[in-house]
Amino acid sequence: QVLEGAQLVETWQADDGKSYALAVLEKAPAERRFRDGVRSADRQIQDRVTYASQQAPNAVVALAALEQARKIEHQRSNLNRNLSIVSGKGIKGFYDRASLEHLLRNALVILHFNVEADSAQLQQSVESAIAALGITLDKNAPYRLTATMDTEPVQQKQGWYWLRGSTELSLVYQGEAIASKRWPLKVSAIDKGMVAQRAKDKLSAEMTTYLYDLITSVQ
């Protein structure tokens, strides 16, 4: 376990050639530092959960706030583990990872998206990702998700066929663009006919992550 505040005070080399180091950590300052960090994280988590439930202007912004809370909880967990090491006891938080993930799932379920993609293949990939996240596909939804994919001509190099390009997702809410992200696409195959399938497989494997990253980036 690497603890913040530890100082390297001595090093030596054994007869067998192995190197050793002695690190020292002052317990009282470390305990105060970790405890303050845990309590600060608890306040930040509570602020984001409250914002999501009471102040967020729309459901996607609320979801993004909950995802921020989940990331802060992960940092808090590490701090609390360090606190337990130096003091023998951590601090129980009001929101743990399980409760925040439950809030996130509930926030995803209430979302309704309409999808517009520039190809049938991309449309299917995005719709599958929407279903995987628990979002409802709805042609009359206030959120419109657009998906485009730009690719260069397939190139051959050293016996391999390469396809390069990018995939872009954009989210529009009530006529206003609120998020947009682009991801690079790079696949290869020995058989030229397999390159397109590799691209399709990569999109299918990554689209759920792409979509979640997009909707949790909204400010």
Side-chain angles (χ1 to χ4, degrees), residues 133-144:
L133 290 175
I135 300 171
T136 300
L137 191 63
D138 180 359
K139 291 183 178 180
N140 299 315
Y143 294 96
R144 186 176 80 255

Side-chain angles (χ1 to χ4, degrees), residues 169-180:
L169 296 179
S170 298
L171 187 63
V172 176
Y173 177 61
Q174 295 181 342
E176 180 183 354
I178 59 175
S180 182

Side-chain angles (χ1 to χ4, degrees), residues 124-136:
Q124 181 181 4
S125 180
V126 174
E127 289 182 357
S128 296
I130 286 176
L133 290 175
I135 300 171
T136 300

Side-chain angles (χ1 to χ4, degrees), residues 80-130:
N80 202 42
R81 188 181 303 114
N82 291 344
L83 177 61
S84 298
I85 292 172
V86 298
S87 70
K89 185 178 180 180
I91 301 174
K92 182 175 176 58
F94 187 78
Y95 293 100
D96 58 12
R97 184 174 67 175
S99 63
L100 290 172
E101 289 180 349
H102 177 73
L103 291 175
L104 280 166
R105 286 193 296 271
N106 289 343
L108 285 165
V109 167
I110 66 173
L111 292 177
H112 289 236
F113 283 2
N114 178 27
V115 178
E116 296 178 5
D118 64 0
S119 70
Q121 173 187 322
L122 191 55
Q123 181 87 16
Q124 181 181 4
S125 180
V126 174
E127 289 182 357
S128 296
I130 286 176

